[in-house]
Amino acid sequence: MELYDYFRSSAAYRVRIALNLKGVSPERAFVHLRRGAQYAENYLELNPQGLVPSLVTDAGDILTQSLAIIEWLDETHREPPLLPADSTGRARVRSLALTIACDIHPLNNMRVLNYVTGTLGATDAQRDGWYRYWCDVGFEALETRLARDEATGAFCHGAMPTLADICLVPQLANSRRVNLDLSPYPTLLRIEAACAALPAFANAAPAKQPDAE
């Protein structure tokens, strides 16, 4: 198994957490997004989107998109489960995860930010304001939902980390890079602290990766 990864990619960060939780240690290949390595011909043959992460399985199958990779891991490496056993719980966890992965993250990933500055001519300050705005919109909804829902426990769903926590932690980490004030989101911060106490999350952090710079 081989993971194509970049230390600052929040999508790759999610997959690193999931791999750690499952106790799976793939070979690593680092795709430096800021140097344009994702546009190299050999990488585009692997992943035509030119995005990370990509995972090549032991059978030679190429998997892309972080949530698809994580669900594949959950189906092929059953313990610990990353989704609840009941259908309503699974829907809740997927909903929380998708709020981050589909509604927050795409608006502030590198491709979009480069377009905002390079094509639309926004200043760096305006770019960071854009980033903070969309994080705030998403975090406000997540905070409200998690704070009032009895299904929320030590983690986003009950007493064990799930796909929702795997998505939340990297997004909070990214928001700090643009100095977002996270004090309005005490529930998110409490859950983040619970995750940070687990080696699977701590060892997946960008600063812990061998390509970090």
Side-chain angles (χ1 to χ4, degrees):
M1 190 182 299
E2 186 172 21
L3 175 67
Y4 289 79
D5 186 8
Y6 179 58
F7 74 104
R8 279 186 177 169
S9 164
S10 59
Y13 190 173
R14 298 170 196 152
V15 172
R16 293 195 302 266
I17 295 168
L19 287 164
N20 290 347
L21 286 168
K22 297 293 187 179
V24 177
S25 300
E27 295 181 17
R28 304 279 294 280
F30 302 107
V31 182
H32 202 299
L33 301 186
R34 291 194 176 275
R35 295 176 185 167
Q38 69 273 34
Y39 302 123
E41 183 177 350
N42 61 340
Y43 189 69
L44 289 175
E45 289 177 3
L46 184 79
N47 184 340
Q49 279 191 293
L51 299 174
V52 294
S54 299
L55 184 74
V56 180
T57 71
D58 290 337
D61 297 308
I62 300 168
L63 308 180
T64 63
Q65 292 294 333
S66 62
L67 269 61
I69 292 170
I70 293 167
E71 291 223 25
W72 175 85
L73 280 168
D74 206 35
E75 292 170 5
T76 56
H77 300 75
R78 294 291 186 177
E79 297 297 330
L82 302 179
L83 289 166
D86 65 294
S87 58
T88 301
R90 289 195 299 275
R92 179 178 183 270
V93 167
R94 286 189 175 110
S95 174
L96 293 167
L98 292 169
T99 297
I100 298 163
C102 295
D103 294 337
I104 302 175
H105 174 243
L107 289 164
N108 55 46
N109 70 13
M110 193 173 72
R111 293 190 304 171
V112 171
L113 297 178
N114 286 344
Y115 184 83
V116 166
T117 54
T119 302
L120 300 183
T123 65
D124 289 350
Q126 289 170 326
R127 175 202 62 202
D128 290 351
W130 163 281
Y131 197 127
R132 286 190 292 268
Y133 175 80
W134 292 113
C135 285
D136 269 328
V137 168
F139 288 161
E140 183 177 0
L142 282 169
E143 174 68 26
T144 300
R145 184 175 178 185
L146 288 167
R148 71 185 183 190
D149 194 334
E150 64 182 15
T152 305
F155 298 92
C156 287
H157 190 85
M160 298 294 291
T162 65
L163 179 63
D165 305 281
I166 288 170
C167 289
L168 176 63
V169 167
Q171 192 62 57
L172 287 169
N174 271 4
S175 72
R176 290 188 174 93
R177 291 168 53 197
V178 291
N179 300 312
L180 179 67
D181 178 12
L182 294 174
S183 62
Y185 313 118
T187 308
L188 304 189
L189 292 176
R190 176 183 61 75
I191 292 169
E192 181 189 38
C195 292
L198 301 177
F201 282 82
N203 293 335
K208 295 287 187 73
Q209 306 317 301
D211 65 334
E213 58 179 57

